Amino acid sequence: IRAGLVLGANGSSFNIMYRLVKNLPFLIFPNWTKAKSNPIYIGDLIKVVITCLKKDYKGNRIYEVGSKDSLSYRKMMLILSQKIGEKKKILTIPFISPKIVKYLVSWITRSPKHLTHPLVESLKYPMIPNKKYEFDLEKIDFKNYEDSLNIILRSEIKKRNPHAFKIHKYDKKDVRSVQRINTNKDPY
């Protein structure tokens, strides 16, 4: 099951966006951040996982999931800023290095580089579910971005860092992976 952006109150991607909106006096958007994503609410993703577990699936199948909303991060952050009552001015910077943005995002949001760097790098690529791999097993009415935000903002956003923000020491046998890939190309 692949998703471009999972939205949840204690999720790392949402917290990074939330902290950028809260901490910046104005929103800065490089030109290369216009790629779109179809964010999915964590509750809807859980429904997909449960549906898959209840069915007897054999074989190797990919499912790509996301809401019907195709939004750029710019648009998502503007909607988020309106929802939390932060009217932000927008500054578009035509030429700014992704490397600089990676470090700025880490610094402003107090999130680890190993988390923010792949996230910033992925902003260049569309993360829209490929029709070929759409989840069609059982119709789930995915919440749109604004409905997802309404649920998340009603829940208590914890003051402490999300689990993904922590620096972990893993056993050499542990495997951890966050993959950001362009899903427009057929992997087979």
Side-chain angles (χ1 to χ4, degrees), residues 1-2 52 57-64 130-137 188:
I1 299 170
R2 295 194 296 207
C52 287
Y57 292 108
K58 293 185 172 110
N60 192 10
R61 177 91 161 82
I62 296 168
Y63 293 103
E64 294 188 357
N130 185 325
K131 298 282 184 202
K132 182 176 177 180
Y133 303 112
E134 259 186 335
F135 182 75
D136 59 354
L137 302 171
Y188 300 106

Side-chain angles (χ1 to χ4, degrees), residues 4-20:
L5 174 62
V6 180
L7 298 169
N10 295 306
S12 55
S13 296
F14 173 77
N15 270 276
I16 288 170
M17 285 196 307
Y18 183 83
R19 289 173 183 204
L20 285 170

Side-chain angles (χ1 to χ4, degrees), residues 155-178:
S155 70
E156 187 172 320
I157 299 172
K158 296 179 182 172
K159 299 292 181 198
R160 63 182 173 84
N161 285 335
H163 184 70
F165 279 34
K166 297 175 186 168
I167 303 296
H168 301 281
K169 293 186 179 181
Y170 297 111
D171 185 304
K172 289 182 181 178
K173 295 178 185 173
D174 285 350
V175 176
R176 302 285 189 247
S177 174
V178 174

